[in-house]
Amino acid sequence: MSLTISELKVRNVAVIGAGPCGLSAAKELRREGHKVVVFERQSQAGGTWVYNPTVEADPLGSDPSRTIVHSSVYASLRTNLPRELMGFRDYPFVSTGQPYSDSRRFPGHREVFLYINDYATAFGLTELVRFETEVVYAGLVNGKWRVRSRMANGVTVDEIFDAVVVCNGNDTEPRTADIPGIDAWPGKQMHSHNYRIPDPFRDLVVILIGVGSSALDISMDIAQVAKEVHIASRSAKVGVLGNVSGYDNLKLHPMVEIESVHKDGSVIFNDGSVVLADVILHCTGYKYHFPFLDTNGIVTVEDNCVGPLYKHTFPRALAPWLSFVGLPLMGIGFILYEFQSKWIAGVLSGRIGLPSEEEMMRDIEALYLLLEASGTPTRYTHGIGHCRMEYMDWFAGECGIPGIEEWRKEIYYATKKNYIVRPHAFRDEWDNEDLALKAHEDFTKCRSNGVDRTCIS
Ligand code: FAD
């Protein structure tokens, strides 16, 4: 039985962060009728897409008292998904055709920033955001949430909310590799969070640890000026770069780890090879980090597993009053955030039901068992690579909206394939133009009301 509008519950909701997750949460919550305040510590919306040429004073990001720079975006960054995939469903990421816009299919970071800000404007979200206001505490008090925020002038304010939606981003707190002998090693270490431009690496020998898309981008960026770049990865995936042409100074060490480093500057790999290096660059990803959140131990973060969470979203014991948007890794970002946000908004109003706590726990335990049986390390608990489409479609089903479009799935897989074939050129060469056209036909069908890009769904 569906509820009538007057039966839907209106909640006071605090959203923490005004990146893509926070903005989509704000939009869906307000659309459902909730009262929303978005707290954002930066002076503009866009989260990680607000490029900041400044880097943190501690290049490894291990000093907890350092001044945080939120974004990890580097100057040359272009999206790793084509724009048809990247956008929200109700606001396709089509080029505006403005002279300043970057109309490429895999545009640079500024185009994404502009898109997110257009989205905020088109849906009137900016008025919900309190900029330069950092949440320093969010904790439960008598069944409600006390949220303490600090404004730019240092003044703190306490407010009470029914629910908190955590959207503070997951790409700011560096994870680093442990390297035996590092204290005596004379070289410089840094994390990719603090990488912006290749110039500081001119004529140096650089060892890069990791194999994510940033690692590969950065290695090619640096190889243009460095003497040598070595990519070391425990994964065999780095072999993909075997297809990179034109980088004679880029050396691959697939399925290899650094065994030890020494005071003469040498780096010894576990396959016996030795390199005299100047810099070790950790492209080893990020930690989930919620320094403001106090759940009396109900939600834990251990080895990058935030838990226990139902569908990587609600802690079963605090549902629906606490939720997280954007924790899953390896999904199709923005549309997943949109689906998760719609679900959270509908559950909070009572329009969408949740299973009992016991059933949620059984679902969580089933996931943990599956991960254990497949030998998946705990730190990949929120990786949804094995079920990304089904996972996203599950939200759509709960929300009563169409699932992921066929063209979106096909473009996703075509892009992954193209990446293997052309790791250095997948952003500029492809053979799936027909699929891009299908996406654009879809966008044209749903665009309306003269609001450029907006699809009212
Ligand atoms: P963010 O964008 O990080 O936003 C979080 C916001 O929360 C920030 O504005 C921050 O200031 C604010 N905040 C944090 N703590 C507080 C607090 N205590 N109080 C108030 N505000 C707070 N995704 C793609 O889809 N395509 C790509 O090509 C792609 N490339 C990427 C490349 C890099 C180098 C990185 C790091 C990420 C990339 N991503 C990409 C993933 C990217 O993280 C997502 O696109 C998206 O930005 C996640 O949105 P978010 O809202 O969760 O987090």
Side-chain angles (χ1 to χ4, degrees):
M1 192 187 71
S2 59
L3 298 176
T4 63
I5 288 181
S6 61
E7 287 170 315
L8 295 179
K9 304 276 188 307
V10 175
R11 313 289 187 189
N12 279 313
V13 188
V15 174
I16 304 175
C21 288
L23 291 172
S24 88
K27 172 178 169 289
E28 299 304 336
L29 287 162
R30 190 174 59 181
R31 194 160 94 144
E32 191 76 18
H34 302 298
K35 297 185 179 139
V36 186
V37 176
V38 183
F39 295 91
E40 171 51 60
R41 66 182 174 189
Q42 302 194 90
S43 58
Q44 14 180 9
T48 214
W49 299 98
V50 181
Y51 175 71
N52 187 344
T54 312
V55 293
E56 293 175 3
D58 170 9
L60 268 188
S62 43
D63 174 3
S65 65
R66 72 196 187 280
T67 301
I68 304 281
V69 172
H70 184 78
S71 179
S72 304
V73 158
Y74 35 91
S76 66
L77 185 135
R78 289 172 67 187
T79 62
N80 50 32
L81 294 176
R83 58 194 313 147
E84 315 88 69
L85 282 196
M86 264 208 59
F88 296 107
R89 176 182 282 165
D90 54 8
Y91 198 70
F93 187 17
V94 292
S95 168
T96 57
Q98 298 293 330
Y100 54 79
S101 76
D102 174 355
S103 59
R104 290 175 296 178
R105 198 172 170 214
F106 293 76
H109 56 80
R110 182 160 172 77
E111 178 78 357
V112 185
F113 165 78
L114 293 171
Y115 163 75
I116 296 168
N117 277 274
D118 282 357
Y119 171 81
T121 307
F123 292 106
L125 304 175
T126 315
E127 68 208 39
L128 303 178
V129 185
R130 293 195 202 149
F131 289 106
E132 298 188 302
T133 308
E134 178 174 11
V135 171
V136 290
Y137 176 82
L140 272 175
V141 182
N142 300 328
K144 299 270 180 189
W145 286 92
R146 174 181 302 174
V147 173
R148 178 169 303 151
S149 59
R150 186 173 51 217
M151 292 177 280
N153 60 8
V155 172
T156 59
V157 179
D158 277 17
E159 290 159 281
I160 299 296
F161 291 89
D162 298 317
V164 166
V165 184
V166 178
C167 303
N168 66 323
N170 309 314
D171 300 314
T172 296
E173 190 69 16
R175 286 183 73 231
T176 50
D178 291 332
I179 303 177
I182 199 70
D183 291 342
W185 189 68
K188 183 181 169 184
Q189 285 193 89
M190 62 180 284
H191 188 276
S192 56
H193 173 59
N194 291 309
Y195 174 76
R196 296 292 182 271
I197 49 172
D199 306 41
F201 300 89
R202 187 166 298 281
D203 301 326
L204 300 182
V205 176
V206 182
I207 296 187
L208 207 133
I209 311 174
V211 72
S213 45
S214 297
L216 301 188
D217 278 355
I218 293 172
S219 65
M220 288 186 259
D221 225 10
I222 292 179
Q224 294 172 44
V225 300
K227 188 170 163 199
E228 286 170 29
V229 178
H230 297 261
I231 309 181
S233 167
R234 286 192 288 221
S235 150
K237 230 173 94 186
V238 76
V240 100
L241 271 185
N243 294 327
V244 176
S245 54
Y247 293 94
D248 296 341
N249 59 346
L250 188 59
K251 307 221 165 44
L252 314 174
H253 302 260
M255 298 178 81
V256 158
E257 283 181 60
I258 296 178
E259 191 172 86
S260 58
V261 294
H262 300 269
K263 60 176 182 231
D264 61 356
S266 61
V267 174
I268 302 185
F269 295 103
N270 61 356
D271 64 354
S273 50
V274 181
V275 174
L276 263 185
D278 302 294
V279 183
I280 296 177
L281 178 45
H282 298 246
C283 297
T284 36
Y286 295 90
K287 294 181 197 162
Y288 295 112
H289 191 54
F290 313 104
F292 48 82
L293 192 60
D294 178 4
T295 62
N296 292 325
I298 293 175
V299 178
T300 58
V301 186
E302 278 163 26
D303 194 14
N304 247 13
C305 167
V306 186
L309 295 186
Y310 179 58
K311 303 295 176 195
H312 307 285
T313 308
F314 285 120
R316 55 129 200 164
L318 297 175
W321 313 115
L322 178 65
S323 54
F324 297 81
V325 184
L327 296 198
L329 304 165
M330 295 174 276
I332 305 180
F334 290 28
I335 191 163
L336 168 59
Y337 313 152
E338 187 175 2
F339 285 12
Q340 267 188 304
S341 298
K342 280 184 198 293
W343 184 52
I344 293 168
V347 171
L348 277 170
S349 70
R351 187 173 53 80
I352 301 174
L354 275 183
S356 67
E357 263 195 52
E358 292 69 33
E359 282 172 285
M360 286 195 263
M361 200 56 215
R362 271 202 294 278
D363 189 85
I364 297 166
E365 277 165 359
L367 171 69
Y368 289 175
L369 280 174
L370 190 81
L371 295 174
E372 202 183 321
S374 61
T376 307
T378 306
R379 64 180 183 278
Y380 297 132
T381 299
H382 301 294
I384 56 162
H386 61 289
C387 63
R388 65 174 65 76
M389 301 304 174
E390 295 84 342
Y391 175 74
M392 292 190 282
D393 281 345
W394 182 88
F395 286 105
E398 290 296 295
C399 298
I401 56 171
I404 299 291
E405 305 87 336
E406 276 312 306
W407 60 256
R408 210 181 287 261
K409 292 180 185 171
E410 289 178 45
I411 295 181
Y412 181 83
Y413 292 117
T415 303
K416 275 192 91 170
K417 216 164 116 195
N418 195 29
Y419 176 72
I420 306 288
V421 179
R422 307 177 173 106
H424 58 306
F426 74 98
R427 294 182 173 98
D428 296 305
E429 294 167 29
W430 52 79
D431 37 31
N432 52 56
E433 197 59 38
D434 54 324
L435 294 173
L437 284 175
K438 263 195 217 166
H440 283 278
E441 272 166 27
D442 220 24
F443 297 158
T444 312
K445 260 189 257 160
C446 67
R447 205 174 301 160
S448 63
N449 288 356
V451 183
D452 196 18
R453 310 211 257 213
T454 312
C455 283
I456 308 295
S457 54

